[in-house]
Amino acid sequence: MAPPDEAKWMRRQRKLFTNFCNAKLADRDDVPPVTDVFEDIKDGRLLYALLEELSGQSLAPLGRVKTKGRGGKPLTRIDHVANLSISFRYIKQTTKIVGIGPGDVADGNPGLVLGLLWSIIVFFTAKDLGGIDDISALKKKILKWCQKRTENNDDVDVRNLKDSFMGGRAFLAILNDVDPGFQYAPKPDGGNFKTAFEEASAKYNVPELLDGDDEDCWKDEQAMVTYLSEMMKRLPEKAEDLSPAVIKYVDDHLPQSNDDLRRICQQPDCSPDLEEIMNRDGLSNVQVVDSFVLASSQHFDKALPTLLFVADYGVDLSIE
């Protein structure tokens, strides 16, 4: 819970990083939901889980965090530092951090915790967006992306990642560029941030890291960089009306698809048939694992629809 006299920028970043952690750890059941990142990060479990999710790697080779003290008692500060030391071993191999250690995090030092989380976010975001070297290059890449997305809106001029987003028009313009079906209708009296953040979350699964009711959210550049980078990663390149092409493909391939399904359903084990079909259709690394057929594609495009023909049937062995 934020202190009532906490500075607005600190309150905003507390909420940003709390939301960020919850968005990244939503599918994990080994850490509880984060309510206050400054408090919840102290025992080491949150940071450990966050690094695993962002890196896609297990930190187990470096050590395992304790969840309970001796005799089932609550963890002590010594336990917290020990847990955090595991994460710091990984961090020192990857992320550039200066002047902060496990003890600082165990004490919940707000400024140092924010600095640590910001360094981690920048490192992994830069990696996800193309192996960028530093924060300056990351900001330039995000700015260029925003400018391209808003270039068709005469009333939007994105020159930086702060003031240019005042009022929320730029966010609406970005969403309109992705999907012309989303009406660009900025309101002069506010509410544009809320509209944009809710649309991005509902349609593209962009986590609502910022408070849509905070009309000053654009004033925090770290918050803007963090949120805009999530938009970059999740928004498709361009929405197009693909329905004619999809319908034509289905019409052209429906007889073959029906034959494939009929052949598969006639077999007690469909794996060999599926393997043959996947190889024929250009998928790579096709392999049969137990009763499943796994394959990969080098041509997957998130902006395009994926069609999957599925046949499901059951066998009742009790019927004679």
Side-chain angles (χ1 to χ4, degrees):
M1 188 73 176
D5 59 344
E6 185 176 63
K8 287 185 178 180
W9 71 268
M10 179 68 79
R11 187 185 299 268
R12 188 175 291 122
Q13 291 206 356
R14 180 195 294 267
K15 188 167 186 177
L16 166 73
F17 291 124
T18 295
N19 291 345
F20 180 87
C21 291
N22 279 325
K24 297 303 178 182
L25 301 176
D27 295 329
R28 293 186 68 121
D29 56 9
D30 57 337
V31 287
V34 182
T35 56
D36 183 341
V37 70
F38 295 155
E39 289 296 322
D40 297 338
I41 200 172
K42 289 181 178 180
D43 68 7
R45 292 184 297 164
L46 168 60
L47 185 59
Y48 188 97
L50 181 64
L51 289 171
E52 286 194 329
E53 287 302 306
L54 293 177
S55 67
Q57 300 175 335
S58 171
L59 269 61
L62 299 176
R64 295 184 180 277
V65 295
K66 295 181 180 179
T67 57
K68 293 181 180 179
R70 289 185 176 182
K73 295 181 179 180
L75 295 175
T76 65
R77 184 181 183 281
I78 295 177
D79 294 322
H80 292 175
V81 172
N83 282 346
L84 288 162
S85 296
I86 300 171
S87 295
F88 270 80
R89 292 189 200 113
Y90 178 83
I91 291 171
K92 289 177 180 178
Q93 298 172 8
T94 56
T95 312
K96 297 177 182 178
I97 57 170
V98 179
I100 181 172
D104 300 308
V105 179
D107 293 335
N109 184 303
L112 294 178
V113 168
L114 288 178
L116 173 65
L117 290 174
W118 175 239
S119 297
I120 291 172
I121 289 174
V122 169
F123 174 80
F124 285 106
T125 299
K127 184 179 178 181
D128 291 343
L129 295 180
I132 304 167
D133 293 328
D134 55 33
I135 182 59
S136 178
L138 176 60
K139 289 179 183 178
K140 288 180 180 178
K141 184 161 189 173
I142 295 174
L143 179 61
K144 186 176 180 180
W145 179 82
C146 293
Q147 290 171 336
K148 182 179 179 181
R149 288 295 200 182
T150 59
E151 62 186 2
N152 294 324
N153 293 77
D154 296 335
D155 60 338
V156 176
D157 182 15
V158 178
R159 290 168 291 177
N160 56 53
L161 300 178
K162 286 184 63 177
D163 300 359
S164 298
F165 284 82
M166 179 170 48
R169 287 176 176 265
F171 283 118
L172 297 177
I174 290 172
L175 293 171
N176 175 252
D177 182 70
V178 177
D179 180 10
F182 172 73
Q183 186 177 8
Y184 175 72
K187 301 174 183 177
D189 56 348
N192 296 323
F193 290 111
K194 187 176 181 64
T195 299
F197 297 161
E198 289 180 350
E199 172 74 9
S201 174
K203 195 165 185 177
Y204 305 109
N205 202 31
V206 179
E208 292 191 56
L209 304 179
L210 306 181
D211 184 355
D213 293 320
D214 181 4
E215 294 293 328
D216 291 331
C217 63
W218 56 272
K219 292 183 177 180
D220 190 319
E221 189 176 54
Q222 288 188 1
M224 294 296 292
V225 169
T226 304
Y227 183 74
L228 285 168
S229 65
E230 289 295 319
M231 293 190 81
M232 281 187 68
K233 287 187 284 187
R234 296 170 186 268
L235 267 57
E237 281 303 309
K238 192 81 171 181
E240 301 177 26
D241 184 7
L242 299 172
S243 53
V246 171
I247 293 173
K248 184 178 186 307
Y249 182 91
V250 172
D251 288 342
D252 292 345
H253 294 79
L254 188 58
Q256 179 65 55
S257 298
N258 285 336
D259 289 342
D260 288 340
L261 286 174
R262 188 177 298 108
R263 180 157 57 94
I264 290 172
C265 291
Q266 290 173 343
Q267 305 300 321
D269 180 1
C270 65
S271 299
D273 291 298
L274 277 177
E275 183 179 9
E276 176 189 334
I277 291 169
M278 288 181 173
N279 276 309
R280 185 195 69 202
D281 289 344
L283 295 171
S284 58
N285 302 320
V286 180
Q287 55 181 316
V288 178
V289 180
D290 295 328
S291 298
F292 298 92
V293 181
L294 307 178
S296 60
S297 172
Q298 302 299 319
H299 308 290
F300 178 70
D301 187 343
K302 292 183 179 180
L304 299 176
T306 299
L307 296 181
L308 178 64
F309 288 86
V310 178
D312 185 17
Y313 64 95
V315 178
D316 187 348
L317 298 179
S318 65
I319 299 177
E320 297 182 358

